[in-house]
Amino acid sequence: MKFCSKCGAQIDDAAVVCPNCGCSTQAAPQKKSSLGTVALVFMIITIVAMLLSAIITAVGIPALLEAAGAGDSAEGQMLVITAIIQAVFSIIPLAWTIPMTVSLSRKLKNGVPVTTAFKVCTLIFVNLLSGILLLCMKDN
């Protein structure tokens, strides 16, 4: 035997409706949030932009070496070191951006509610627009 989620009356396991209040005993399918989908798209765009930034910086390092005279001068060496640091620091945020994007994708696909903490972390650490959209999304 199970109980009605609305009135608490005891009902048969095979019952589709509660005989006491008439409420459906089957869970309603959750509809997908369009705000969540748009937030996910912005997160994916952020990942692509980060990867492109790192690639463009890494591809530019040989050109910097050539322009700096293969790193002979102190100024040329500093330019190359700065470019390498920039390339590394454009890759580091992917360590949390990619897992958060995958997690959001799974939550949206499976109809799992997105916690407020996740939404705020997205706002602060991943993408401002995605975070705002997630915070505006209705909780199921």
Side-chain angles (χ1 to χ4, degrees):
M1 297 296 272
K2 60 183 179 179
F3 297 91
C4 176
S5 61
K6 188 168 184 174
C7 70
Q10 191 173 8
I11 55 177
D12 188 40
D13 289 336
V16 178
V17 240
C18 173
N20 189 34
C21 68
C23 178
S24 174
T25 60
Q26 298 175 348
Q30 294 180 343
K31 66 176 192 171
K32 295 192 180 206
S33 171
S34 59
L35 285 178
T37 304
V38 173
L40 182 64
V41 168
F42 277 116
M43 290 173 79
I44 292 169
I45 290 171
T46 301
I47 290 172
V48 170
M50 287 178 178
L51 284 171
L52 285 175
S53 172
I55 290 169
I56 289 170
T57 304
V59 168
I61 291 174
L64 284 173
L65 282 171
E66 195 174 303
D72 291 339
S73 67
E75 189 176 304
Q77 289 175 350
M78 284 304 295
L79 191 61
V80 170
I81 290 171
T82 304
I84 291 170
I85 290 171
Q86 182 181 355
V88 168
F89 279 105
S90 60
I91 291 174
I92 290 175
L94 291 172
W96 61 81
T97 304
I98 292 173
M100 286 185 72
T101 304
V102 170
S103 176
L104 178 64
S105 174
R106 287 183 181 154
K107 287 179 182 188
L108 292 174
K109 180 180 178 185
N110 297 330
V112 176
V114 181
T115 63
T116 303
F118 186 90
K119 295 174 183 180
V120 171
C121 285
T122 301
L123 175 78
I124 296 171
F125 299 115
V126 179
N127 183 301
L128 183 67
L129 287 174
S130 294
I132 291 171
L133 290 170
L134 290 175
L135 285 168
C136 292
M137 187 172 71
K138 283 186 177 182
D139 293 331
N140 293 337

